[in-house]
Amino acid sequence: MNVLLRGLTERTAATSPDADDHRLRGRTYTIPFEGVWQASLRVIRGKLRGWTVVLDDDRSGRIDALHRTPFRSRETEVTITIGLDENGQTRMDATTSARTERGDWGRGRRLIGRFTRALDRELNAGPGQILDSASVARARESA
């Protein structure tokens, strides 16, 4: 879909291991759940401007947040889910939903990308600690 049309119509964004947009690939970490969970809360509460934690439940692995633009004219709901994948690695995914009837002009995609980059920095995650979908597929084939 052309970028302009997508910006006019798209109100949601979500991660997927095989997403075409690199910002929407989520993360699989070799870092324990608790470390990723606590780092995610620190990022949302203090590293990203305009973000507010609405709910955090480590039992379900869900963080609900709200992003407001500086003038509070636009709000986006963000849900971060953190859990263990089928290989016992910590998986982080995110979804966004704009609180508007019009398109979000790619805001949801940008918010997910910013969160993911900030989380990687907060975790000080190196290449060996972030598994991409290609690495996971290769590991399954060799097992």
Side-chain angles (χ1 to χ4, degrees):
M1 182 186 308
N2 127 0
V3 176
L4 181 59
L5 181 57
R6 187 174 61 208
L8 288 170
T9 59
E10 190 175 80
R11 294 181 48 241
T12 63
T15 57
S16 167
D18 57 354
D20 291 335
D21 185 336
H22 71 281
R23 296 172 296 187
L24 298 181
R25 291 206 181 121
R27 286 288 189 270
T28 302
Y29 294 104
T30 62
I31 299 169
F33 170 89
E34 187 63 22
V36 175
W37 180 263
Q38 292 300 327
S40 296
L41 289 173
R42 285 191 307 271
V43 164
I44 294 170
R45 289 184 171 140
K47 309 273 183 195
L48 298 173
R49 189 171 64 188
W51 290 60
T52 305
V53 172
V54 176
L55 166 99
D56 66 288
D57 181 1
D58 61 346
R59 291 181 149 248
S60 67
R62 180 174 168 156
I63 301 171
D64 289 341
L66 185 65
H67 175 264
R68 290 187 175 112
T69 59
F71 301 108
R72 297 185 188 248
S73 59
R74 303 221 192 285
E75 293 182 337
T76 303
E77 296 172 359
V78 183
T79 301
I80 308 293
T81 56
I82 301 169
L84 299 181
D85 70 5
E86 64 275 0
N87 298 314
Q89 302 299 325
T90 305
R91 176 75 190 166
M92 183 285 299
D93 283 295
T95 59
T96 65
S97 178
R99 288 185 170 181
T100 179
E101 293 183 22
R102 290 176 270 150
D104 71 358
W105 293 98
R107 183 178 301 107
R109 290 169 179 265
R110 289 189 305 276
L111 289 173
I112 290 172
R114 285 181 195 133
F115 173 77
T116 303
R117 283 189 310 275
L119 180 58
D120 289 347
R121 281 191 306 269
E122 183 69 19
L123 289 167
N124 199 22
Q129 295 174 303
I130 302 172
L131 305 174
D132 63 12
S133 56
S135 299
V136 173
R138 283 192 300 271
R140 283 189 195 134
E141 289 172 3
S142 64

